[in-house]
């Protein structure tokens, strides 16, 4: 346990760091009076503040690699601007690429390309960091992309609106969707440039009840994490595979 006293960040994402410390990132970040609010803070294992930084507004998810690299995805307000970003007298939003890898010192190491083969990111619906590589799934065309170092590979899908993805080698599970599909599971396999999908299934609680709307559902590597209140459920890929 790391005890952090008096930190001011709201709507925080929390990630462990390789040295036992903790990264806290507030989802919102205002640009006002010619400067940006700090919305990232690194604490050591004793809860001492080591450094602050600015990772931008409209943050959807934050995941840290084993080496300490920080992947940050952004929703539409972070991409297109809000809270003072993107106006005539202010800089473009930091999150305009939709997906950024930051160094451990909170500086930018890599940005998702605007002119990539699979289109620009308007809203990154799902992020999954597996080891040192990152996977993402995003609006508007909903491709699945994989980033290894600075190399981007991707696969088109017909699955829209998923909120999480789970990856294991050449297999991917997309979780969620719009409306009545909010707890849909779709398993697919990457075969060359194609992504083939199996029959959809549904994600339910262990007792068969629907997953509550308030649940947090996210993928990390080959695991899906479902947090409902104070209950934390972890499902392996084989628990999710519907093929």
């Amino acid at each position: 346990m790391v005890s952090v006293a008096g930190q001011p960040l709201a709507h925080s994402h929390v990630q462990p760091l390789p040295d036992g410390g903790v990264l806290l990132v507030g989802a919102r970040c205002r640009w006002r009076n010619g400067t940006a609010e700090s919305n990232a803070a690194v604490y050591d294992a004793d809860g001492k503040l080591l450094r602050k930084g600015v990772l931008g507004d409209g943050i959807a998810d934050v995941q840290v690699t084993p080496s300490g690299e920080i992947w940050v995805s952004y929703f539409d307000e972070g991409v297109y601007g809000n809270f003072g970003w993107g106006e005539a007298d202010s800089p473009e939003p930091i999150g305009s690429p939709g997906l950024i890898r930051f160094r451990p010192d909170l500086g930018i190491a890599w940005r998702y390309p605007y002119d990539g083969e699979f289109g620009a990111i308007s809203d990154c619906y799902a992020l999954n960091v597996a080891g040192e590589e990152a996977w993402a799934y995003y609006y508007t065309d909903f491709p699945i992309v994989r980033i290894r170092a600075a190399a981007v590979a991707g696969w088109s899908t017909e699955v829209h609106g998923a909120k999480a993805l789970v990856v294991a080698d050449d297999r991917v599970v997309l979780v969620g969707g719009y409306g009545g599909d909010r707890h849909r599971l779709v398993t697919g396999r990457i075969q060359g440039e194609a992504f083939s999908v199996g029959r959809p299934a549904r994600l339910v609680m262990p007792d068969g009840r629907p997953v509550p709307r308030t649940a947090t559902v996210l993928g990390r590597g080959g695991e899906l994490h479902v947090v409902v209140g104070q209950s934390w459920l972890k499902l392996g890929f084989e628990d999710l595979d519907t093929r």
Side-chain angles (χ1 to χ4, degrees), residues 18 27 31 44 48 76 94 124 154 172 181 200 215 225 228:
W31 176 275
D44 67 15
K48 178 184 176 182
D76 52 358
I94 291 175
C124 192
V172 177
D181 290 330
H225 299 267
V228 181

Side-chain angles (χ1 to χ4, degrees), residues 21-109:
V22 171
L23 169 69
L24 293 183
V25 180
R28 308 315 304 250
C29 171
R30 295 181 183 273
W31 176 275
R32 54 187 174 187
N33 300 324
T35 188
E37 295 176 326
S38 294
N39 68 324
V42 175
Y43 297 85
D44 67 15
D46 296 321
K48 178 184 176 182
L49 178 64
L50 299 180
R51 56 186 172 275
K52 294 182 179 180
V54 179
L55 302 190
D57 183 46
I59 290 175
D61 199 1
V62 179
Q63 296 189 20
V64 175
T65 74
S67 69
E69 298 285 291
I70 303 161
W71 285 94
V72 180
S73 62
Y74 298 82
F75 56 85
D76 52 358
E77 292 182 20
V79 173
Y80 294 108
N82 197 0
F83 287 161
W85 297 92
E87 299 178 358
D89 58 349
S90 63
E92 71 171 6
I94 291 175
S96 59
L99 181 65
I100 298 177
R101 177 166 53 87
F102 291 85
R103 300 187 302 268
D105 66 3
L106 306 181
I108 293 176

Side-chain angles (χ1 to χ4, degrees), residues 14 25 27 29 48 56 61 74 76-77 90 110 121 129 139 168-169 181 190 192 196 200 212 232 240:
V14 184
V25 180
C29 171
K48 178 184 176 182
D61 199 1
Y74 298 82
D76 52 358
E77 292 182 20
S90 63
W110 181 86
I121 298 174
V129 171
Y139 185 83
D169 299 322
D181 290 330
I190 294 168
S196 60
W232 184 351
L240 304 168

